[in-house]
Amino acid sequence: MKFIQLSLLLIICFVLVAESRAETGEQMAAASAEKYPFFTMKDTAFSFEGEFILPEGYRYLDSTELTPYQYWISGFPLWHRYKPVGMWKGRKQFEADEISRAVHLPWKGPSFRDVGFPIYIISEYLRHLHQESNFTVIPHFGDTLDYPTWLHSKMTLSGTGAVRLIPVEQRDSSVYEYFKLLDVAMRHSTYKSLATNSDSISVDDIAPGDLLIGHDERGREGSVYFVLNMIVNDSGENLYCVATGCPEACDFHIPLVNLDRDNPWIDTDRMFKLISDYPFYGVFRWRLP
């Protein structure tokens, strides 16, 4: 009799723990969906704290040490450790063990290259704040692309390929219009124009959301890394985690920078080695309104 009672008690405890975990996972997913408009998971969420190790003596920064945008970036959701990096044509770019993690940033189409993802992230941050009207991008060549102007314009290209906005009848704001402008902005951006939309900053000021950009003289060939998170120790030494896309559209991901996939942290010297093969390179901060 005691054995049966004990068994029933164990079963009840197991069910309660399972339900508690399910609720926790659903709550995590709901919190991520509220903070990140693009979040798609319903029953769980993967985070830096849950996926990565912290070197001894280091900690994450809190909201008082970062701007609202930087703090929003530092909490970006991740995919699980088994997700590979897919290409837009349906094939794989990297197996799961060839990267640290894929970043939970859904996308579709050829515009989502490494150059496009920083612009996409900015657009999602403004959407999170309900400030779509502040979305502005200077393309590689042509008229500045801003959302209010976009809603009463049609886009054409000049004979030299410059973006031109021609006034037309006003259209209503919508998710469709917003992301149509985003697609145009990404398609007409280069490594050099990313820097044009940004301010050069000191290496000592690097924070989540900043860009490491290297490019050739024309600005069409290059590399860009997005600072996704940072940690600090009591001595004031910082380590960083960067993410990137591919020259051809693929999943946004954290590259494998150490032998351990659970350790994505590098210092500034190693970050600069990612872009210093190009004649023009530096650290940049996107100009937010």
Side-chain angles (χ1 to χ4, degrees):
M1 183 67 177
K2 290 183 178 179
F3 175 77
I4 295 175
Q5 290 176 334
L6 180 61
S7 298
L8 288 172
L9 181 61
L10 289 173
I11 291 172
I12 291 171
C13 289
F14 176 80
V15 171
L16 289 174
V17 169
E19 288 180 351
S20 175
R21 288 178 178 173
E23 289 173 359
T24 300
E26 290 173 359
Q27 290 169 353
M28 289 170 58
S32 292
E34 182 177 356
K35 192 174 180 182
Y36 302 99
F38 50 82
F39 189 81
T40 60
M41 301 185 75
K42 303 298 184 184
D43 57 356
T44 192
F46 298 94
S47 65
F48 270 81
E49 290 83 355
E51 292 295 302
F52 294 134
I53 61 173
L54 276 178
E56 186 175 356
Y58 280 84
R59 64 174 178 83
Y60 292 101
L61 277 68
D62 62 38
S63 60
T64 65
E65 300 171 282
L66 299 168
T67 68
Y69 173 63
Q70 292 166 353
Y71 189 64
W72 186 80
I73 293 297
S74 70
F76 240 58
L78 307 174
W79 282 110
H80 55 75
R81 64 184 298 111
Y82 305 106
K83 190 179 189 309
V85 171
M87 298 286 290
W88 79 279
K89 292 182 178 178
R91 62 182 187 272
K92 291 181 185 177
Q93 178 68 16
F94 301 109
E95 296 291 347
D97 60 2
E98 296 179 302
I99 61 165
S100 182
R101 293 293 189 281
V103 180
H104 188 112
L105 192 57
W107 60 278
K108 185 178 182 180
S111 300
F112 289 85
R113 301 172 293 124
D114 54 355
V115 169
F117 272 111
I119 302 171
Y120 177 30
I121 291 169
I122 290 292
S123 76
E124 288 287 11
Y125 178 65
L126 294 174
R127 192 160 75 102
H128 164 63
L129 297 179
H130 306 292
Q131 294 181 6
E132 291 89 341
S133 61
N134 287 326
F135 182 58
T136 302
V137 177
I138 302 170
H140 174 65
F141 190 28
D143 295 338
T144 295
L145 299 166
D146 69 86
Y147 191 49
T149 302
W150 172 262
L151 289 175
H152 61 80
S153 303
K154 70 174 182 178
M155 193 208 78
T156 63
L157 295 177
S158 71
T160 57
V163 174
R164 292 287 179 257
L165 295 180
I166 310 300
V168 296
E169 186 177 349
Q170 179 81 22
R171 299 186 299 278
D172 291 335
S173 177
S174 66
V175 173
Y176 170 79
E177 289 291 349
Y178 189 63
F179 283 111
K180 188 175 179 182
L181 172 59
L182 170 65
D183 182 67
V184 170
M186 292 191 297
R187 284 192 288 112
H188 293 278
S189 292
T190 64
Y191 301 98
K192 187 175 182 179
S193 70
L194 280 182
T196 301
N197 282 274
S198 311
D199 296 317
S200 179
I201 65 170
S202 164
V203 64
D204 296 327
D205 294 329
I206 298 175
D210 292 335
L211 304 174
L212 291 95
I213 304 172
H215 60 80
D216 61 5
E217 187 170 359
R218 296 184 63 201
R220 293 186 177 276
E221 298 292 330
S223 186
V224 57
Y225 288 84
F226 190 95
V227 181
L228 203 57
N229 212 334
M230 65 182 290
I231 53 178
V232 63
N233 64 15
D234 291 339
S235 300
E237 298 170 318
N238 298 330
L239 293 175
Y240 304 88
C241 173
V242 298
T244 190
C246 306
E248 188 176 0
C250 78
D251 289 324
F252 199 53
H253 61 280
I254 300 168
L256 187 63
V257 293
N258 295 305
L259 294 178
D260 187 346
R261 294 182 61 212
D262 299 335
N263 177 16
W265 309 108
I266 55 176
D267 59 19
T268 52
D269 288 341
R270 292 186 62 196
M271 283 202 300
F272 273 101
K273 287 181 181 178
L274 297 171
I275 55 172
S276 59
D277 286 343
Y278 294 97
F280 303 93
Y281 65 91
V283 187
F284 300 87
R285 180 166 296 167
W286 191 273
R287 285 189 290 273
L288 284 168

